[in-house]
Amino acid sequence: MRDARIGVVAITGVVLEFGTEPTVRHAADLSYVLVLIQYACYSFSKQNRERSLKNQKSSLG
């Protein structure tokens, strides 16, 4: 992606806690600018969704 000069990544996903959360963490570690489109993400429960979104926000600093 860097060769294509992509520095900003929009994230959506099927299951926040299993798919998008590790992706967000890894992309943040690689210093990409991330946009998490929360309304385009699914989770199995409200509790899981809230926890995963909180974890992802802390990964982004």
Side-chain angles (χ1 to χ4, degrees):
M1 289 180 16
R2 294 200 197 286
D3 290 343
R5 296 185 180 174
I6 296 171
V8 178
V9 179
I11 305 286
T12 64
V14 177
V15 182
L16 283 167
E17 55 272 26
F18 299 117
T20 59
E21 189 173 340
T23 301
V24 165
R25 232 181 286 121
H26 187 66
D29 288 345
L30 295 174
S31 300
Y32 283 98
V33 175
L34 301 170
V35 177
L36 177 64
I37 305 171
Q38 295 181 23
Y39 296 108
C41 296
Y42 174 80
S43 188
F44 291 114
S45 71
K46 183 177 179 180
Q47 181 182 6
N48 287 351
R49 178 181 181 80
E50 291 172 357
R51 183 183 64 245
S52 184
L53 289 172
K54 183 180 176 183
N55 290 343
Q56 290 178 64
K57 286 178 185 176
S58 68
S59 294
L60 299 175

